Amino acid sequence: MKKNQGFTLIEIVLVIAIIGIISALVFSSMGGVKDSQDFVKDQQRLQDIKAALLSYVAKNGYLPCPDTNNDGSENLGFDGTAKRDSPPDDIYCTQTSGGLPFADLGTHSVNVYGKPYTYHVNRQSNSRANVIDSSLTASFFGSECNNERSCFNRTTPPNSSTADDFSLGNYQISNSTDPVAIQVPLVVVSHGKNGCFNVSGFEENNCNNPIEIDNQRLFYQAPQNDDFDDALIWLGALEIKRVASVLSFNITPQQQNPQQNNNENNDDTSEANDPNGDDSNGTPNSFGQSTIRAEGSFFLNPDVNHTTSSGDYNSDHNIATNNSNNSIRIGNDMNKSINLAEGDNTLDIRNDMNARIDAGDGHNLIRVDGNLNGTGIFLGNGNNRVDVYGNMNSTIEIGSGNNIIRKEGDINGSGVILGSGDNDVYIGGNLNSSPSINAGGNTVVYLKKQPHSGQIMHGNMIDSLAFLPFTAKLRRAVTAIVPAVKSHLLVAAKM
């Protein structure tokens, strides 16, 4: 019988080598997973910073300048010591690139690897003359402009008419082969694990951004790999204007008399009966004496000729209108056409519209809680707002003026046709007709879903096109741009 032999030295060495190789592979893989997880966390922090920037401009009407002395606050003026309440001539950015003003924003000071962020703003914002000039992108960073809340306005570039104007001092974002975004006024960069030490290639460019394309300094947002772990966020002009409420209507509630408030509190249009109440930031009883204006020109106080129909409005009913201010509420379906004539009118339809609405020149507020059926809504010149919460199976056609159209459901009819003027269109559903939106003026279109080719048409220009999720959170953001539905449409007709 042969004795059992042990492992030879060579066999033992081979086993140890194999174990070593497997361990190296396992730990290498674990390191890759950790790096990937950190990269995701880093991107999440950047999204927090973006939210902080949007909140800042919504609150203040301007964006902060870079931090040049590493104290977390923006630096203004020639030597960086000026403040926002300093003499106006000193209120401009000391530098256009620097650190993130995290203390002003109330957000993260370093990335997930402990490295500071860099913060880059429009390269013309280091001049007082530029930051108070609404025809320049630099005005996003200005304040104290003739007592206006913001130095910029709806037409401040970049927009569609200035998309090719590369003298604005903005930035371009590239994925290493193609542009991801152009004409960007503000960029925040997380420089990954190694910061700006011992970097090369795309990372070196993001640290020193020496490359320019069409006079736009270039930043890279390339795929993560062993040589690149930077991450970026940026703000576009549309995002800035939207949260700063310079795109559309404003509402200024005025004091009502106590008797009117007592009567209104007995109406069935209280918050408890508002299907969208939790998305509103208005007060239910503030419409009666409110002044509503679009770009300084929309004044509506429909306090005469009030009419109501508690149920369906059918062929055997009659609502008399005239060329003054008409305020009408229909408690259920509208099955008979209404001509609002000229004047400043409100029409509140609590369910489907199955007929036709006409109006001459004037300023109109129209709300349809259900579907828009029948022939459609046809309004003359003026500043108008139309809200439809169901599907739109017919047409909305409006003449010249500054208009807001908000459509929560699908567009299945001929769509929205707008004349000249500054218009905002919000579409929450699908665009199932072509063309769905035909605008002859300066129009901003907000879409939940990507349109098909030919569904957005214009005779002059559409300033901007944004794709946004119509969630409750967005509806709250929308009410920062346009008056809360509950505060001026749901209580549109006090009978």
Side-chain angles (χ1 to χ4, degrees):
M1 179 180 293
K2 294 180 65 177
K3 291 184 178 181
N4 290 330
Q5 295 182 347
F7 292 109
T8 66
L9 181 61
I10 294 177
E11 289 171 333
I12 293 173
V13 169
L14 285 174
V15 169
I16 292 173
I18 291 171
I19 292 173
I21 292 172
I22 293 173
S23 299
L25 290 173
V26 169
F27 284 112
S28 173
S29 174
M30 289 176 63
V33 170
K34 176 65 163 56
D35 286 345
S36 179
Q37 291 174 342
D38 286 342
F39 186 74
V40 170
K41 291 178 182 178
D42 201 29
Q43 290 179 314
Q44 291 172 342
R45 288 197 180 191
L46 283 170
Q47 291 305 312
D48 293 341
I49 292 170
K50 183 169 186 174
L53 284 163
L54 291 172
S55 177
Y56 187 96
V57 71
K59 177 181 178 181
N60 297 292
Y62 57 83
L63 285 160
C65 292
D67 169 19
T68 62
N69 61 1
N70 301 317
D71 67 351
S73 297
E74 66 173 349
N75 290 97
L76 303 173
F78 176 77
D79 60 1
T81 61
K83 303 297 181 184
R84 288 287 172 176
D85 57 359
S86 296
D89 287 348
D90 294 331
I91 303 177
Y92 58 90
C93 296
T94 303
Q95 297 178 16
T96 60
S97 289
L100 179 72
F102 58 87
D104 294 331
L105 295 169
T107 190
H108 306 288
S109 60
V110 294
N111 67 12
V112 71
Y113 308 101
K115 305 296 182 180
Y117 300 98
T118 57
Y119 179 69
H120 310 268
V121 303
N122 176 270
R123 291 181 292 136
Q124 297 177 353
S125 59
N126 56 349
S127 159
R128 177 61 182 173
N130 292 342
V131 298
I132 63 173
D133 186 347
S134 63
S135 69
L136 298 176
T137 309
S139 61
F140 289 133
F141 305 91
S143 60
E144 299 299 322
C145 297
N146 299 320
N147 296 318
E148 293 291 334
R149 180 172 181 270
S150 298
C151 295
F152 59 94
N153 57 37
R154 179 192 179 96
T155 62
T156 296
N159 52 43
S160 61
S161 61
T162 60
D164 297 326
D165 183 356
F166 299 114
S167 65
L168 296 171
N170 292 316
Y171 300 95
Q172 182 175 139
I173 313 298
S174 172
N175 63 6
S176 77
T177 55
D178 299 302
V180 174
I182 63 172
Q183 297 284 23
V184 173
L186 180 155
V187 182
V188 181
V189 185
S190 168
H191 295 278
K193 183 188 298 185
N194 53 350
C196 285
F197 177 75
N198 194 26
V199 292
S200 61
F202 295 148
E203 288 189 344
E204 181 180 12
N205 184 84
N206 283 351
C207 287
N208 303 309
N209 57 311
I211 297 177
E212 292 192 8
I213 295 180
D214 295 324
N215 201 36
Q216 298 178 98
R217 287 194 178 174
L218 189 65
F219 286 97
Y220 287 99
Q221 178 63 85
Q224 182 194 20
N225 55 44
D226 292 340
D227 300 318
F228 187 88
D229 62 354
D230 289 2
L232 283 68
I233 56 102
W234 57 90
L235 295 186
L238 177 63
E239 293 176 289
I240 298 168
K241 294 175 185 178
R242 176 163 52 85
V243 299
S245 303
V246 301
L247 287 177
S248 37
F249 294 5
N250 296 312
I251 184 166
T252 307
Q254 298 177 357
Q255 184 64 39
Q256 299 175 327
N257 64 68
Q259 183 62 42
Q260 183 177 12
N261 276 330
N262 290 336
N263 291 339
E264 289 178 357
N265 287 333
N266 294 326
D267 192 88
D268 66 354
T269 54
S270 63
E271 183 171 357
N273 292 309
D274 180 4
N276 300 295
D278 57 348
D279 291 334
S280 172
N281 64 358
T283 53
N285 298 322
S286 64
F287 179 73
Q289 296 293 327
S290 295
T291 298
I292 299 171
R293 51 193 172 88
E295 305 294 353
S297 62
F298 187 10
F299 295 93
L300 177 61
N301 186 9
D303 54 358
V304 298
N305 209 32
H306 290 180
T307 311
T308 186
S309 172
S310 59
D312 293 344
Y313 179 61
N314 298 319
S315 58
D316 57 341
H317 297 127
N318 184 50
I319 293 178
T321 61
N322 53 39
N323 289 330
S324 61
N325 300 333
N326 302 287
S327 187
I328 300 169
R329 189 180 79 185
I330 296 173
N332 198 31
D333 293 343
M334 182 185 127
N335 300 318
K336 179 182 178 181
S337 296
I338 292 178
N339 189 333
L340 296 171
E342 296 183 354
D344 299 340
N345 307 291
T346 65
L347 176 57
D348 185 7
I349 303 169
R350 293 305 182 87
N351 201 15
D352 294 342
M353 192 211 81
N354 300 317
R356 175 181 174 124
I357 299 171
D358 288 278
D361 294 347
H363 310 314
N364 302 284
L365 295 172
I366 297 175
R367 167 177 170 144
V368 179
D369 278 2
N371 296 321
L372 186 66
N373 303 316
T375 309
I377 298 174
F378 301 87
L379 309 179
N381 300 327
N383 302 318
N384 304 281
R385 172 165 175 171
V386 178
D387 284 37
V388 179
Y389 287 88
N391 292 324
M392 180 174 150
N393 304 316
S394 55
T395 299
I396 296 175
E397 183 171 341
I398 303 178
S400 299
N402 303 327
N403 304 289
I404 292 177
I405 309 296
R406 179 175 171 182
K407 188 65 202 61
E408 292 277 358
D410 296 342
I411 293 186
N412 303 314
S414 298
V416 177
I417 302 171
L418 302 172
S420 61
D422 295 335
N423 305 295
D424 295 315
V425 181
Y426 305 85
I427 306 295
N430 295 304
L431 279 66
N432 297 325
S433 61
S434 185
S436 289
I437 302 172
N438 191 334
N442 302 322
T443 299
V444 180
V445 179
Y446 298 84
L447 299 174
K448 177 183 178 182
K449 300 181 180 180
Q450 180 81 29
H452 299 299
S453 176
Q455 288 189 313
I456 308 291
M457 301 180 63
H458 55 92
N460 182 11
M461 72 175 70
I462 288 182
D463 279 347
S464 304
L465 188 63
F467 301 97
L468 301 171
F470 260 54
T471 61
K473 183 177 181 181
L474 174 67
R475 276 198 288 269
R476 284 191 288 272
V478 168
T479 60
I481 311 167
V482 294
V485 171
K486 186 169 58 181
S487 67
H488 76 284
L489 283 179
L490 183 64
V491 195
K494 292 301 175 185
M495 312 305 176

